[in-house]
Amino acid sequence: MSSTYLRDADNGYSSGRVYMRDQNPAFDQPEALITELEHGHETLLFASGMGAATAVFQGLRPGDHVLAPKVMYWSLRNWLMGFATSWGLDVELIDMTDPSAVQAAIRTGSTKLVWIETPANPLWTITDIAATAEIAHTAGALLAVDSTAATPVLTQPLDLGADLVMHSATKYLNGHSDLTAGSVTTRADNEHWQRVRAVRAQGGGTLGSMESWLLLRGMRTLYLRVRAASASAQRVAEHFHGHELIAEVLYPGLPSSAGHEAAKRQMSGGFGGMLSLRVAGGEQAAIAVAANTKLWKRATSLGGVESLIEHRASIEGVGSPVPPDLLRLSVGIENVDDLIADLEQALRA
Ligand SMILES: *Cc1c(COP(=O)(O)O)cnc(C)c1O
């Protein structure tokens, strides 16, 4: 840990490092590991997922047209509509589950970026990465994927044609709910990537050394954790599908879900640890279920070893596409029978 690095007697910097903000050697191993897992060219770590995502948009120029999904991580949607538009980006929110809607909205030459999230928070809808990449590239746009919920364990967006893949490393990559971090990985070096680099170096939203090391340590168990969470989420989804007290289970691993076929094409080894339940009794019943769980903890966030349950609409507020009866579940690595039994007793209570 050092904020500064020795300069040579001849006034040079043969170590390649001048100052910690952008040249912290603690970034090297976690960045190299994420690059390898994503089959990319290079990765940049940020102080949070939001820091990583907003850097991708700040790498664009005022006037550029951007397509983003209606169903996406709510805080990024709020930033896009509340900040990026007033900064001069022309942001259009569309239905990303339908490639023909992307085709209809894209403007050849002026659309510079298509941003997708799959599976998408918190309805877990699926966007076809390969089909969307083709549409974006034909129009001259980059495709960026928020792959936080899929993780590199289940999906490699760059192999499917995406140009950039972003993670809230706060979630599965770290896996222990004890830091915030974000990453962006690029398939190639280009002018936009150099601007994203400059946003980090000059904007200064960089990760600390301790967090970089904790992230690396968390990633040592990434595969075990994600596989366990995915297998348990599948079990929970199947158990509550058709349940008398549940109106709908939202999970791409269910054959009846709208995104199942696309998910099967681009995910392997499972459909992730995130699902949502719509409680048949409505909003108050949903809030009561969350109040009555014992093993599931009432908290926001996702991707940790502990299972979390959240009434989502009351977090996202007005303008959110989330139904009021929806509970978002982040499945951890506890015994799955205990997780199901706890939800059962909370539903019956
Ligand atoms: C949490 C999250 C983010 C934001 O990441 P932070 O680390 O909280 O800044 C972005 N996208 C998705 C899908 C997330 O779950």
Side-chain angles (χ1 to χ4, degrees):
M1 291 192 196
S2 176
S3 62
T4 189
Y5 311 107
L6 276 179
R7 190 168 188 169
D8 305 329
D10 69 2
N11 224 24
Y13 270 108
S14 57
S15 74
R17 300 182 200 276
V18 177
Y19 187 55
M20 180 195 229
R21 191 175 58 234
D22 191 39
Q23 295 164 337
N24 188 343
F27 299 161
D28 295 1
Q29 282 191 65
E31 286 182 345
L33 179 53
I34 296 169
T35 301
E36 183 101 18
L37 294 179
E38 290 293 1
H39 305 162
H41 167 70
E42 191 175 30
T43 297
L44 292 173
L45 283 181
F46 289 82
S48 66
M50 282 298 291
T54 57
V56 171
F57 291 96
Q58 287 176 311
L60 301 171
R61 294 175 194 275
D64 287 350
H65 180 239
V66 168
L67 292 177
K70 283 184 183 153
V71 176
M72 69 185 297
Y73 179 69
W74 71 293
S75 192
L76 184 57
R77 184 178 61 236
N78 285 353
W79 181 85
L80 284 172
M81 301 323 283
F83 182 89
T85 52
S86 59
W87 179 72
L89 282 187
D90 180 4
V91 183
E92 192 176 339
L93 302 182
I94 63 167
D95 175 7
M96 281 293 177
T97 64
D98 177 9
S100 66
V102 186
Q103 185 67 66
I106 204 155
R107 303 179 203 153
T108 300
S110 61
T111 306
K112 297 294 189 225
L113 180 76
V114 179
W115 180 273
I116 66 175
E117 179 181 331
T118 183
N121 235 301
L123 307 181
W124 315 113
T125 47
I126 300 293
T127 296
D128 186 323
I129 298 170
T132 312
E134 199 177 317
I135 297 167
H137 293 160
T138 304
L142 297 170
L143 176 70
V145 182
D146 181 342
S147 194
T148 299
T151 80
V153 180
L154 308 176
T155 306
Q156 273 82 37
L158 302 182
D159 289 349
L160 295 162
D163 302 285
L164 297 155
V165 53
M166 169 258 156
H167 290 282
S168 168
T170 310
K171 315 294 171 50
Y172 290 101
L173 294 186
N174 179 56
H176 295 77
S177 309
D178 52 12
L179 58 83
T180 66
S183 70
V184 188
T185 305
T186 188
R187 145 212 292 295
D189 196 1
N190 53 41
E191 195 209 338
H192 176 260
W193 183 247
Q194 288 307 319
R195 284 174 63 84
V196 174
R197 274 195 151 285
V199 169
R200 185 179 77 161
Q202 296 164 21
T206 51
L207 197 62
S209 301
M210 181 61 93
E211 285 74 11
S212 302
W213 173 76
L214 274 172
L215 173 60
L216 187 65
R217 189 170 77 168
M219 285 195 286
R220 289 180 183 141
T221 53
L222 175 66
Y223 278 66
L224 290 173
R225 289 185 284 99
V226 170
R227 284 178 182 149
S230 293
S232 293
Q234 184 76 36
R235 283 274 313 277
V236 173
E238 285 168 7
H239 179 90
F240 288 103
H241 180 65
H243 191 282
E244 55 180 341
L245 298 173
I246 295 296
E248 191 181 4
V249 178
L250 303 172
Y251 186 63
L254 290 176
S256 57
S257 88
H260 185 64
E261 289 308 314
K264 270 202 305 195
R265 283 197 298 277
Q266 64 193 31
M267 302 180 84
S268 64
F271 298 92
M274 296 302 300
L275 72 150
S276 292
L277 300 177
R278 297 188 61 185
V279 178
E283 177 170 19
Q284 288 314 311
I287 292 170
V289 170
N292 283 307
T293 56
K294 297 187 171 72
L295 181 53
W296 296 79
K297 299 288 181 277
R298 274 182 311 286
T300 196
S301 199
L302 58 105
V305 292
E306 60 287 303
S307 292
L308 303 180
I309 187 165
E310 178 178 41
H311 180 252
R312 193 67 196 165
S314 49
I315 282 279
E316 299 202 4
V318 264
S320 158
V322 180
D325 57 9
L326 181 142
L327 292 172
R328 188 181 82 172
L329 274 58
S330 172
V331 179
I333 61 169
E334 305 93 335
N335 181 298
V336 66
D337 295 320
D338 291 348
L339 290 173
I340 291 171
D342 190 33
L343 286 170
E344 277 286 352
Q345 69 76 22
L347 276 161
R348 301 206 183 271

